[in-house]
Amino acid sequence: AGAISPQFSTLRGIVPGQTLERAVNSAKALQWLNFTISAVDQYNNVLTVGGDATKMFVQVVRVQSKEEVTAVISDNGNGTYVASFMPSLTGTYTVLLVINGVKVLPIAGLAVTGQGIIRQVAVYAPFTKAEGAAVEKITAGVASFFEVQAYDEQGRIKAAGGDVVAVEIVPATSRNNYGIALKSHRPLVTDQSRFNP
């Protein structure tokens, strides 16, 4: 095999078959976003050894603020590389892969390798709270409701849903006053953002 070439090398989502655009669109701010770079030589042969991380860089730009970030590149040692960055805000992001000083463009004339829109901020579990009367006191056999308010890592209330939230109610003691064994319970969690536009 020859040297790595920008002509055939690709930048895609970390999930097999995932396009770059889909990877960005499914990402969340304040959460690592990873891409896979597949190295190919000038003869379109897939490279199966590493060592080319210093010959490439990935530049990510948030369009609204023009903020530029250079992704961290890790060498898998098998001809693939992982480019990682953490978007700080929601918005439109462009991604540009450069190999040997040459832009990797899916279509001639484009300015970037790809782009997408990050619409959500990642939920941060340590700041997330259960709120409501049922949090303080739950009566056996009576339907109880409480809300779980999600926050991001900077302590801001999340304004959009779509997160996977699991709740477990754990008894403070193993038996009640009548000697009956108590068990943990996982209630149904409903994403209220689906009903509150």
Side-chain angles (χ1 to χ4, degrees):
I4 186 171
S5 168
Q7 184 179 1
F8 299 112
S9 297
T10 60
L11 178 68
R12 302 179 65 80
I14 198 84
V15 177
Q18 186 183 50
T19 64
L20 185 153
E21 290 78 12
R22 191 166 287 185
V24 176
N25 290 343
S26 63
K28 294 181 179 180
L30 299 177
Q31 182 173 295
W32 284 100
L33 172 54
N34 301 306
F35 303 106
T36 297
I37 301 167
S38 298
V40 179
D41 71 11
Q42 66 269 33
Y43 307 109
N44 205 14
N45 296 313
V46 174
L47 299 178
T48 57
V49 294
D52 290 320
T54 58
K55 298 176 183 176
M56 61 182 77
F57 73 87
V58 174
Q59 180 187 57
V60 183
V61 177
R62 182 174 182 267
V63 173
Q64 288 82 351
S65 62
K66 307 287 191 283
E67 175 191 7
E68 296 182 11
V69 177
T70 300
V72 177
I73 296 180
S74 305
D75 189 340
N76 293 329
N78 61 2
T80 65
Y81 302 80
V82 175
S84 306
F85 88 103
M86 183 181 292
S88 58
L89 297 166
T90 57
T92 301
Y93 285 82
T94 61
V95 183
L96 175 64
L97 169 61
V98 176
I99 296 176
N100 292 329
V102 179
K103 295 178 180 180
V104 175
L105 305 173
I107 301 171
L110 291 180
V112 295
T113 310
Q115 72 177 38
I117 302 172
I118 296 177
R119 293 183 169 87
Q120 291 195 39
V121 178
V123 67
Y124 187 62
F127 290 164
T128 297
K129 302 174 187 174
E131 302 168 342
V135 174
E136 302 298 324
K137 182 177 180 181
I138 296 177
T139 304
V142 177
S144 299
F145 303 91
F146 57 88
E147 291 187 353
V148 176
Q149 177 60 62
Y151 291 80
D152 68 21
E153 195 168 0
Q154 295 176 345
R156 298 174 301 203
I157 290 177
K158 282 205 59 191
D163 297 290
V164 177
V165 176
V167 174
E168 184 171 12
I169 299 171
V170 181
T173 60
S174 60
R175 296 189 175 273
N176 67 12
N177 294 340
Y178 304 103
I180 298 172
L182 302 174
K183 299 179 189 176
S184 296
H185 175 65
R186 289 193 171 213
L188 174 68
V189 177
T190 305
D191 186 345
Q192 292 298 313
S193 67
R194 297 171 193 267
F195 307 107
N196 298 323

